[in-house]
Amino acid sequence: MISIHKMNKDAQMRAAINQKLIETGERERLKELLRAKLIECGWKDQLKAHCKEVIKEKGLEHVTVDDLVAEITPKGRALVPDSVKKELLQRIRTFLAQHASL
Amino acid sequence: MWRPPRPCPAPRLSPPLRGPRAVASGGGARTSGRSDGLPGRAAGREGLSRQPQPCRRPLCYEQSERRLHKSLQMKMEEMSLSGLDNSKLEAIAQEIYADLVEDSCLGFCFEVHRAVKCGYFFLDDTDPDSMKDFEIVDQPGLDIFGQVFNQWKSKECVCPNCSRSIAASRFAPHLEKCLGMGRNSSRIANRRIANSNNMNKSESDQEDNDDINDNDWSYGSEKKAKKRKSDKNPNSPRRSKSLKHKNGELSNSDPFKYSNSAGISYESLGPEELRSLLTTQCGVISEHTKKMCTRSLRCPQHTDEQRRTVRIYFLGPSAVLPEVESSLDNDSFDMADSQALLSRLQWDGSSDLSPSDSGSSKTSDTQGWGLGSSSSESRKAKKKKPHLGLAGAASGLGASKKKRPKPPAPPTPSIYDDIN
């Protein structure tokens, strides 16, 4: 019973944290930071090249959003360099540490 | 004495117990860990706040651990929502990170999709040859597209309507007139129609002219710049006054030499035009401008004598002043004028007439009303003054009035004569 209770609390916790993220504007800042870093490290260009291949394959007229999302998102996730990932995780942890006890 | 916040004590292997009863011992433990050798102060401080002083330094491991454990205990006591351990926190952090990356990827997908659909996705793949076609031009006299400045001004276009070649800068106004769709085109067209009507019927008598002029007033004259109150009742008695004035303006505009000083140079008029003009307007030639007056036939600036002189001068000694028929209206008749005119008359300005001077216009109006059949004045009798029921006398006078020459208020004294 304690575990179920804990689970609910976890869900609540997550919701509370997400809310805090948005309220303080931290989420936007993190997003911007991530975008800037990805462009800087060339992730966007790599992904764009991949996109071109996909589109040429599918044909320019018949490309849909779903197609693109299905093809590109996994590749995108994989292509994120480690340094960017580490930095972002660090920032998130900091935020959590500051706000998780409140 | 208030002490500044102490530096954090050195990290311990095991965190101190922190419960309600541990506060004091926590204070005590802290005291024991201190190295400044003032036990008394520490003991005294136990009475103060139980929590550590707010520290502005980033959380050190010690303190974050302490807090986490505190929250754990509180959770066990079901007091707070913030129960977490590190692994949970890490999991949450990973989740958040994954969310952010996914957002970025999705945003990127949308951008690409839009570029594909709008057609600019493959823009940077153009071959260098085509790129050269669109390079920025930087020569003097040309814009960045390589076009010559002001080239279009000297160009000529062919009008699709009249197939003439027009200069480009004049093309729009020309087209407006050519197609008859601009703001001024309808005005000009109506004016031309009105004037051609006037010209055609300049020989007819006053009545026909008035007919046409009536139509023109309601339709064409409205477009004149000098717009009188256009909300006049078409049946109001005052219409003839402005009617006449408008006619004067209207017929003077195009066919005659219309000058800004609202006068006509009579040298440019032909005999027909002169006659039509003189039947509708004052026509008296001003001394200093040598132009004909374009005001109504009863304009107060000139006397009837002058008008008669002008007509005789232009049309010969037998010229009949059109005012004979319009005298009945007397709409614009001043009292002063009436007095002057009456004095010219053969009739005696007898005392029984003087109170009726104001009535003179009335009676003449009445005559107009009474006559009805005779002339256009019946239509034009518009004065709202109460008219005397002198129809009988009026009819008799009407006949006699026609034979009489000019005088404006001839019937008036005669009424009284008859009555007397």
Side-chain angles (χ1 to χ4, degrees):
Chain A
M1 198 162 114
I2 289 182
S3 60
I4 295 174
H5 196 55
K6 260 190 183 179
M7 254 175 14
N8 284 345
K9 292 235 172 185
D10 282 346
Q12 276 178 340
M13 184 64 190
R14 280 207 194 97
I17 286 180
N18 276 330
Q19 190 181 356
K20 255 274 157 11
L21 261 176
I22 294 173
E23 273 173 10
T24 56
E26 188 66 21
R27 189 151 209 270
E28 291 302 316
R29 281 191 285 266
L30 286 171
K31 221 157 130 179
E32 281 309 309
L33 178 70
L34 181 61
R35 293 216 105 196
K37 287 226 173 293
L38 287 176
I39 293 176
E40 198 184 321
C41 70
W43 171 89
K44 208 166 184 180
D45 302 323
Q46 279 178 297
L47 214 56
K48 196 166 179 183
H50 181 68
C51 279
K52 282 192 183 157
E53 288 162 28
V54 168
I55 290 169
K56 278 180 189 149
E57 199 184 319
K58 299 248 166 171
L60 196 64
E61 308 296 324
H62 306 292
V63 175
T64 65
V65 181
D66 296 329
D67 285 345
L68 279 177
V69 168
E71 297 272 341
I72 287 172
T73 315
K75 190 98 198 280
R77 273 194 236 120
L79 277 176
V80 176
D82 277 345
S83 54
V84 175
K85 181 169 182 176
K86 279 210 171 74
E87 184 168 345
L88 222 71
L89 275 172
Q90 186 56 41
R91 275 191 69 140
I92 295 172
R93 277 189 217 117
T94 315
F95 175 83
L96 286 175
Q98 280 173 350
H99 294 265
S101 56
L102 291 174
Chain B
M1 173 179 132
W2 175 82
R3 310 202 73 198
R6 294 174 293 115
C8 300
R12 280 187 218 116
L13 290 175
S14 66
L17 284 175
R18 312 265 286 156
R21 63 174 173 77
V23 171
S25 57
R30 238 185 289 138
T31 315
S32 61
R34 254 188 336 110
S35 56
D36 55 6
L38 291 170
R41 299 290 163 85
R45 282 187 73 249
E46 275 175 37
L48 299 175
S49 68
R50 293 292 166 237
Q51 315 212 345
Q53 300 278 334
C55 172
R56 297 238 162 79
R57 292 162 52 167
L59 283 179
C60 65
Y61 180 80
E62 156 81 9
Q63 283 191 332
S64 61
E65 282 298 303
R66 202 182 301 146
R67 284 189 191 180
L68 280 170
H69 276 269
K70 169 186 173 187
S71 52
L72 254 180
Q73 291 206 347
M74 286 170 80
K75 184 172 104 179
M76 275 164 54
E77 292 160 355
E78 293 177 358
M79 270 177 63
S80 117
L81 290 174
S82 55
L84 279 177
D85 55 17
N86 267 355
S87 59
K88 281 269 164 48
L89 267 179
E90 189 61 27
I92 290 181
Q94 290 285 348
E95 253 184 48
I96 294 174
Y97 165 77
D99 270 343
L100 288 170
V101 169
E102 178 117 7
D103 270 353
S104 300
C105 288
L106 229 92
F108 180 76
C109 283
F110 291 148
E111 279 176 25
V112 166
H113 184 259
R114 181 159 208 267
V116 165
K117 292 304 175 187
C118 290
Y120 59 83
F121 185 63
F122 285 115
L123 217 53
D124 38 0
D125 289 344
T126 355
D127 55 322
D129 286 334
S130 340
M131 292 279 269
K132 287 223 179 72
D133 289 342
F134 299 107
E135 261 178 14
I136 292 180
V137 175
D138 194 15
Q139 298 164 24
L142 302 178
D143 63 8
I144 63 169
F145 296 118
Q147 299 164 354
V148 182
F149 174 64
N150 256 351
Q151 198 184 20
W152 60 274
K153 266 196 191 167
S154 55
K155 287 214 179 122
E156 300 216 326
C157 333
V158 177
C159 171
N161 210 29
C162 57
S163 308
R164 294 200 323 202
S165 115
I166 313 280
S169 52
R170 294 297 311 159
F171 185 62
H174 162 79
L175 203 60
E176 203 183 12
K177 303 280 185 311
C178 195
L179 290 173
M181 275 174 29
R183 262 165 75 203
N184 279 332
S185 333
S186 51
R187 246 182 263 166
I188 294 174
N190 288 329
R191 216 190 293 161
R192 272 197 226 127
I193 291 173
N195 288 327
S196 70
N197 271 344
N198 267 351
M199 302 269 281
N200 289 341
K201 306 213 175 167
S202 61
E203 300 214 4
S204 64
D205 62 349
Q206 178 80 0
E207 180 170 346
D208 284 357
N209 263 347
D210 286 339
D211 268 331
I212 295 155
N213 292 337
D214 263 336
N215 293 339
D216 284 348
W217 189 93
S218 63
Y219 183 52
S221 304
E222 277 179 2
K223 304 189 200 276
K224 297 298 277 186
K226 262 198 229 172
K227 203 172 166 186
R228 297 297 189 88
K229 303 161 219 161
S230 55
D231 50 356
K232 279 191 186 166
N233 181 11
N235 297 327
S236 77
R238 288 191 69 80
R239 194 165 162 105
S240 71
K241 172 182 181 184
S242 27
L243 181 83
K244 287 211 168 149
H245 193 87
K246 285 277 180 183
N247 284 343
E249 295 301 312
L250 190 63
S251 52
N252 284 340
S253 58
D254 276 357
F256 311 118
K257 225 196 250 182
Y258 189 68
S259 63
N260 286 339
S261 58
I264 311 279
S265 325
Y266 52 88
E267 300 101 5
S268 58
L269 302 179
E272 289 308 321
E273 295 165 345
L274 258 182
R275 204 175 300 163
S276 70
L277 196 128
L278 285 174
T279 51
T280 53
Q281 295 160 54
C282 174
V284 173
I285 299 175
S286 159
E287 272 307 307
H288 33 273
T289 67
K290 302 282 182 260
K291 290 198 173 34
M292 301 171 74
C293 172
T294 55
R295 299 182 75 170
S296 80
L297 283 165
R298 311 227 43 94
C299 108
Q301 273 183 354
H302 303 112
T303 65
D304 288 332
E305 198 57 48
Q306 288 173 306
R307 286 189 266 268
R308 198 182 345 173
T309 314
V310 162
R311 275 154 183 79
I312 290 173
Y313 172 68
F314 278 121
L315 308 172
S318 61
V320 170
L321 283 167
E323 291 196 356
V324 168
E325 303 201 359
S326 61
S327 64
L328 292 177
D329 288 4
N330 284 341
D331 282 344
S332 51
F333 223 59
D334 274 353
M335 288 309 125
D337 271 1
S338 68
Q339 294 287 354
L341 286 160
L342 280 174
S343 62
R344 281 201 289 118
L345 299 178
Q346 306 153 11
W347 319 100
D348 244 340
S350 49
S351 56
D352 56 23
L353 285 180
S354 36
S356 65
D357 274 351
S358 56
S360 65
S361 27
K362 280 188 236 170
T363 48
S364 42
D365 245 8
T366 312
Q367 300 222 344
W369 288 53
L371 288 172
S373 59
S374 64
S375 61
S376 54
E377 289 73 46
S378 57
R379 282 185 292 111
K380 294 202 282 187
K382 284 146 190 104
K383 270 265 171 86
K384 287 199 174 104
K385 294 185 185 170
H387 62 279
L388 320 168
L390 295 171
S395 52
L397 287 164
S400 58
K401 168 191 65 72
K402 281 217 165 93
K403 292 182 207 140
R404 232 173 262 130
K406 182 52 181 94
T412 313
S414 52
I415 293 175
Y416 289 90
D417 275 0
D418 284 352
I419 292 171
N420 291 343

